[in-house]
Amino acid sequence: MRFALALLLCLSLPVHAEGFLTRLLNKPVPGGVAVIDLGNDASAPKARYDGKPVLVVREDDQRWIAIVGVPLSGKAGQHSLEVDGQAHSFRVEPRTYREQRITLKNQRQVNPNPTDLKRIERELDEQTRAYRQFSPRQPSNLLFDKPVNGPLSSPFGLRRFFNGEERNPHSGLDFAAKTGTPIKTPAAGKVILTGNYFFNGKTVFVDHGQGLISMFCHLSQIDVKVGDELSRGAMLGKVGSTGRATGPHLHWNVSLNDARVDPSIFIGAFKP
């Protein structure tokens, strides 16, 4: 009788339901996103992962959640998040990514010469600094709009081989679109970097807040400048094939706490 009564009481207790953001974003795999419940304190906790500050938002006006970017190099297993000086563990599940083999006519895009390498190193430093920015602004939305109207082509995380030589994995999401197709900002943000780079071609970085950064590259045209505040849906440029590209398309990166993560998560298109 006591057991039956205790069971009835347990069943009658309210169940902690996941909020919309947790259901949308929690894909804790290498190259994915881990959403971690931080409780319902009056003020936002401070969270860090791998020594870097992490996006913290309030979900459903009830509890704080940390939205953590897990790098592609991250291993499956237990990981640690530091919250106000205390360790919180979370688990990363395994994920396997496919291969992609690309043939390029321009051999310098596969094996750059010494002059190219100096330029690439300088450009990499500049872009790395942009990815590591952490502004206090709250993101306007975390369910992003697609930046272009076009089908998804190359997915995130592909192991890439250029002319038979393995290079860095595909760190973004590609959309098949014609040259000149308008590119729209998927969430409000501030333009923090533009440039014309060896690999990425014409490129725009947009800071959405708290280490959530979008990068758009291979553009034919840039229509914004550093410092511009963009509303959701504002046009930032047009699709092209500049830099290392075999044809016109948009390559879109999303970065969280300086980890490149799968943009499909933010548009509700993630496939395990």
Side-chain angles (χ1 to χ4, degrees):
M1 183 64 178
R2 286 183 180 178
F3 175 78
L5 182 59
L7 179 61
L8 183 62
L9 287 171
C10 286
L11 292 174
S12 68
L13 291 173
V15 177
H16 174 72
E18 288 185 342
F20 169 75
L21 291 179
T22 298
R23 294 193 303 273
L24 172 71
L25 301 176
N26 191 38
K27 318 295 180 189
V29 296
V33 175
V35 178
I36 301 161
D37 189 337
L38 302 183
N40 56 1
D41 290 349
S43 58
K46 300 291 185 183
R48 300 181 72 86
Y49 172 66
D50 197 23
K52 297 172 183 175
V54 165
L55 170 62
V56 173
V57 299
R58 193 139 206 163
E59 182 172 43
D60 298 338
D61 293 323
Q62 294 181 15
R63 58 187 174 274
W64 297 103
I65 54 173
I67 301 175
V68 183
V70 182
L72 266 170
S73 59
K75 305 298 184 184
Q78 292 298 119
H79 288 234
S80 181
L81 178 73
E82 182 184 313
V83 183
D84 291 337
Q86 301 295 317
H88 288 236
S89 65
F90 64 96
R91 183 166 182 80
V92 171
E93 301 298 333
R95 189 185 188 192
T96 301
Y97 292 96
R98 297 187 288 110
E99 293 183 3
Q100 180 185 45
R101 296 182 180 270
I102 300 169
T103 300
L104 294 173
K105 294 180 180 179
N106 184 351
Q107 289 296 321
R108 282 175 58 191
Q109 293 285 353
V110 181
N111 296 299
N113 64 35
T115 301
D116 295 333
L117 289 172
K118 288 182 180 179
R119 175 186 171 186
I120 291 165
E121 184 177 359
R122 182 178 67 252
E123 292 176 350
L124 179 61
D125 287 344
E126 189 173 278
Q127 293 173 86
T128 298
R129 288 195 299 272
Y131 279 127
R132 290 178 177 171
Q133 290 196 29
F134 192 89
S135 63
R137 69 192 299 159
Q138 282 279 329
S140 65
N141 53 287
L142 290 168
L143 175 58
F144 282 179
D145 298 328
K146 290 171 64 175
V148 294
N149 292 321
L152 305 182
S153 49
S154 297
F156 173 87
L158 289 172
R159 291 181 58 206
R160 296 186 303 172
F161 295 80
F162 290 97
N163 298 359
E165 299 184 32
E166 187 167 12
R167 293 295 185 263
N168 290 332
H170 194 226
S171 60
L173 189 65
D174 287 355
F175 292 84
K178 295 180 180 179
T179 297
T181 301
I183 302 168
K184 298 180 179 179
T185 311
K190 182 179 180 179
V191 179
I192 56 173
L193 181 64
T194 65
N196 191 357
Y197 300 116
F198 185 84
F199 287 129
N200 291 348
K202 293 182 179 179
T203 299
V204 175
F205 280 74
V206 176
D207 175 13
H208 304 295
Q210 292 195 54
L212 178 58
I213 310 286
S214 278
M215 187 273 281
F216 311 86
C217 68
H218 305 309
L219 278 60
S220 62
Q221 178 178 314
I222 295 173
D223 294 318
V224 294
K225 63 183 184 301
V226 172
D228 284 354
E229 289 283 352
L230 304 180
S231 60
R232 181 179 184 176
M235 192 173 84
L236 59 85
K238 294 180 180 178
V239 170
S241 55
T242 55
R244 185 165 68 183
T246 56
H249 69 283
L250 172 66
H251 175 94
W252 175 37
N253 271 19
V254 172
S255 185
L256 266 173
N257 47 268
D258 193 27
R260 261 51 84 203
V261 298
D262 191 343
S264 70
I265 295 169
F266 291 83
I267 57 174
F270 178 82
K271 296 180 180 179

